[in-house]
Amino acid sequence: MEFKNKELEKFEKKLESQKVAVIGLGVSNIPLIDYLHSKNADVSVFDDREEEKINKEIIEKIKKYGFEYYLGRENLKNLIGFDLIFRSPSCLPTKPELVAEINRGAIVTTEIEQLMKLAPCKIIGITGSDGKTTTTTLTAEVLKNAGFTVHIGGNIGIPLFTKLNEIMPEDIIVLELSSFQLMNMKISPDIAAITNITPNHLNVHKDYQEYIDAKKNIFRHQNENGILVLNADNEITNSCKDEANGKVIMFSSKQKLENGFIVDEDGIIKECNEGIRRHILDTKDMKLKGMHNFQNACTVLALTKGLVDTDDAAETIKQFAGVHHRQEYVRTVDGVEWYNDSASTTPTRGISALKSFNKEIVLIAGGADKNLDYTPIAKPIVEKVKSLILIGQTANKIYTAVKNELENQNKTLDIHMCETFRESLELAKRIAKPGQIVLFSPASTSFDMFKDMYDRGDQFREEVNKF
């Protein structure tokens, strides 16, 4: 018998009588606009950019559909009298105009939240300050290799909401979820993981507590059948176990857990069951390197437990070579290995990258500022880096932190400040010696010089391949 998604049909029927707003003309909302047009919805579109800053094809599409549109810094002044509002992740639900509409009776949601409400199948969601993309991608690989039809989305993949009519009850959806997507979320995935929580996006969130509270929404709405995977080594995620509604599976690289998954002192990943430990995987056999990736492997094993044979999952994990822009080997030039770690957008990610390598490092770091503290990265830089090249808005912050650490340890370090990205690469090429590695791990976001971290990593790879 052919499956019909009755909940989706109800939602689409209701759309016909609603006034709908779409805020933000980003990647996830363009397919949404097409979808709403196909359902004859009464739609208005909002974006804080001026018309000349938006792709012409998108503007032409909106005009062709006959949608009202409001652009520029004051665009949300026109957000009045809507029944359903789709916000982009970058438009926080705390904006006064959105709060006013909620108070008038509007429903404010996102394409991700509606996907989770209307999906007919099991959903796995992954969040955290670091490790989300690797864990999400690897979880999907394990499930695919086990024979499941997997739909990957959220912060990565394609917008899945408009593909709901293609998703079957026996499929599995795997989502990478950011704090912005999770804010005010009223539904949680069936199986959820928080890889870790450290300060991030403090240039956008009101404060650190708002960021933490957003992350917790990934499990807050689970019922007693929900599964929550948590990092026992992170103080905040460890404390989340006391707030969980369903089953909790912990992982650790520092503790001997009674239950869960651990990386022991010999680098062996083990499954713990009532204190009995079973050898699952030797991390020496993994293509992914670094303790953070071994923790990611534990997360994946916990997320897929009960769905996939653990030994089969371990085989997929062994073969997984990683995701672009995450300690991605680019090439070796004159005996120097070059690595692209553009996904390093925080100091904690930069620290993880530095700990992953045993060779002398020429580090290129710096980028846009998210109001983060760079003191923690100073010690690893002093310990692991031979030459430090700094660029971008955070260059002075990193320099000050490193300088203070050097004084504390009575050490010196070869430090350079560069004005441009290109200049930093040319300098690295000149000073790196055979046997060393050049690591591009900015520990900062990318929006001072690039469109996003992917653009930044692509440009790094492109330039290095010219050498």
Side-chain angles (χ1 to χ4, degrees):
M1 185 175 169
E2 187 181 344
F3 169 73
K4 286 191 176 178
N5 189 331
K6 296 286 178 60
E7 291 302 312
L8 179 60
E9 287 177 355
K10 272 194 249 177
F11 174 80
E12 291 180 343
K13 184 71 178 165
K14 198 174 177 182
L15 270 181
E16 295 172 9
S17 60
Q18 290 187 316
K19 193 175 177 190
V20 182
V22 176
I23 301 176
L25 291 168
V27 173
S28 62
N29 279 349
I30 301 307
L32 177 63
I33 288 167
D34 294 332
Y35 167 83
L36 292 170
H37 172 68
S38 73
K39 302 303 172 188
N40 299 312
D42 178 7
V43 178
S44 297
V45 178
F46 299 79
D47 197 286
D48 58 10
R49 294 170 294 174
E50 299 295 339
E51 186 168 331
E52 59 271 15
K53 296 282 179 70
I54 299 170
N55 188 302
K56 284 181 183 177
E57 290 177 9
I58 294 172
I59 296 295
E60 286 168 10
K61 179 181 284 193
I62 292 166
K63 289 177 179 176
K64 178 184 163 189
Y65 289 166
F67 292 166
E68 294 289 333
Y69 63 98
Y70 304 95
L71 307 175
R73 289 177 63 189
E74 305 295 319
N75 70 96
L76 292 183
K77 283 188 174 179
N78 299 289
L79 189 72
I80 299 169
F82 289 91
D83 301 301
L84 181 64
I85 300 170
F86 285 91
R87 68 172 183 90
S88 66
S90 61
C91 178
L92 300 193
T94 50
K95 279 189 178 286
E97 297 89 345
L98 285 175
V99 173
E101 277 295 272
I102 290 169
N103 291 338
R104 279 192 284 267
I107 295 170
V108 174
T109 188
T110 62
E111 66 99 12
I112 283 290
E113 185 171 32
Q114 289 306 311
L115 166 74
M116 290 170 68
K117 285 180 176 178
L118 299 171
C121 66
K122 192 179 291 293
I123 298 174
I124 297 174
I126 295 121
T127 195
S129 300
D130 306 310
K132 292 189 297 293
T133 302
T134 297
T135 303
T136 302
T137 308
L138 184 48
T139 299
E141 284 297 306
V142 166
L143 292 167
K144 283 177 191 172
N145 287 348
F148 288 98
T149 297
V150 180
H151 308 272
I152 189 166
N155 247 11
I156 58 175
I158 61 170
L160 293 177
F161 175 72
T162 58
K163 304 289 184 185
L164 269 169
N165 61 342
E166 301 170 19
I167 298 173
M168 297 292 112
E170 62 273 17
D171 297 352
I172 298 181
I173 292 171
V174 184
L175 300 174
E176 177 190 318
L177 297 168
S178 70
S179 60
F180 306 135
Q181 289 166 320
L182 287 165
M183 275 188 85
N184 284 27
M185 188 82 85
K186 300 298 189 294
I187 186 169
S188 297
D190 304 287
I191 305 172
I194 309 179
T195 58
N196 48 57
I197 296 180
T198 56
N200 203 351
H201 302 298
L202 300 187
N203 58 328
V204 180
H205 283 290
K206 178 179 69 179
D207 51 32
Y208 189 27
Q209 191 57 50
E210 181 181 90
Y211 174 71
I212 293 169
D213 289 341
K215 292 292 191 188
K216 288 184 178 182
N217 278 339
I218 202 165
F219 69 85
R220 274 206 179 104
H221 308 288
Q222 286 184 329
N223 59 27
E224 66 278 6
N225 297 317
I227 296 172
L228 175 61
V229 178
L230 293 171
N231 184 345
D233 302 336
N234 180 276
E235 185 180 348
I236 297 169
T237 56
N238 187 46
S239 69
C240 289
K241 65 179 182 291
D242 301 322
E243 302 173 48
N245 299 316
K247 180 182 178 182
V248 175
I249 304 175
M250 307 296 287
F251 68 89
S252 173
S253 60
K254 296 177 181 176
Q255 304 174 43
K256 292 190 184 323
L257 303 175
E258 285 295 299
N259 294 285
F261 291 87
I262 64 168
V263 187
D264 74 10
E265 58 274 13
D266 296 319
I268 308 297
I269 293 176
K270 294 179 178 178
E271 182 177 10
C272 309
N273 191 357
E274 301 302 328
I276 298 169
R277 296 178 177 86
R278 182 169 81 90
H279 178 130
I280 301 297
L281 175 63
D282 189 333
T283 57
K284 292 191 187 74
D285 297 330
M286 289 174 56
K287 290 185 178 177
L288 290 178
K289 299 301 176 190
M291 185 55 72
H292 61 296
N293 278 321
F294 305 154
Q295 289 180 330
N296 291 339
C298 288
T299 311
V300 172
L301 289 167
L303 284 168
T304 57
K305 183 176 168 60
L307 294 168
V308 177
D309 180 85
T310 300
D311 293 328
D312 291 343
E315 285 304 312
T316 298
I317 290 168
K318 275 187 204 173
Q319 298 306 316
F320 187 72
V323 183
H324 284 326
H325 313 299
R326 288 158 178 81
Q327 295 172 37
E328 173 193 10
Y329 170 73
V330 178
R331 65 182 296 214
T332 299
V333 184
D334 299 329
V336 177
E337 296 172 12
W338 290 71
Y339 286 86
N340 166 26
D341 193 40
S342 181
S344 162
T345 58
T346 64
T348 53
R349 290 189 187 189
I351 292 167
S352 294
L354 288 168
K355 288 181 176 179
S356 298
F357 296 97
N358 293 320
K359 296 184 177 182
E360 290 184 347
I361 297 170
V362 175
L363 175 66
I364 304 173
D369 196 353
K370 291 197 283 188
N371 296 337
L372 302 179
D373 178 17
Y374 282 84
T375 307
I377 201 173
K379 194 171 183 181
I381 286 175
V382 170
E383 288 173 356
K384 304 278 289 188
V385 173
K386 195 72 174 173
S387 294
L388 175 62
I389 300 172
L390 297 171
I391 56 173
Q393 295 169 0
T394 58
N396 286 326
K397 266 190 168 183
I398 299 170
Y399 176 80
T400 301
V402 170
K403 196 86 165 51
N404 290 338
E405 185 60 33
L406 287 168
E407 288 173 2
N408 288 341
Q409 296 192 33
N410 195 25
K411 288 183 176 179
T412 59
L413 177 65
D414 181 37
I415 304 177
H416 306 264
M417 305 286 271
C418 289
E419 289 294 319
T420 67
F421 181 56
R422 175 74 197 175
E423 183 189 346
S424 72
L425 299 184
E426 289 173 346
L427 177 61
K429 187 174 185 296
R430 282 200 308 274
I431 64 177
K433 295 178 173 59
Q436 294 181 337
I437 68 167
V438 174
L439 173 63
F440 177 50
S441 188
S444 313
T445 193
S446 57
F447 298 113
D448 55 343
M449 297 179 179
F450 308 91
K451 281 192 298 187
D452 52 35
M453 70 176 190
Y454 305 107
D455 174 46
R456 176 169 70 181
D458 288 341
Q459 288 196 39
F460 175 82
R461 196 189 304 114
E462 188 179 322
E463 291 297 327
V464 171
N465 281 322
K466 288 178 185 174
F467 290 157

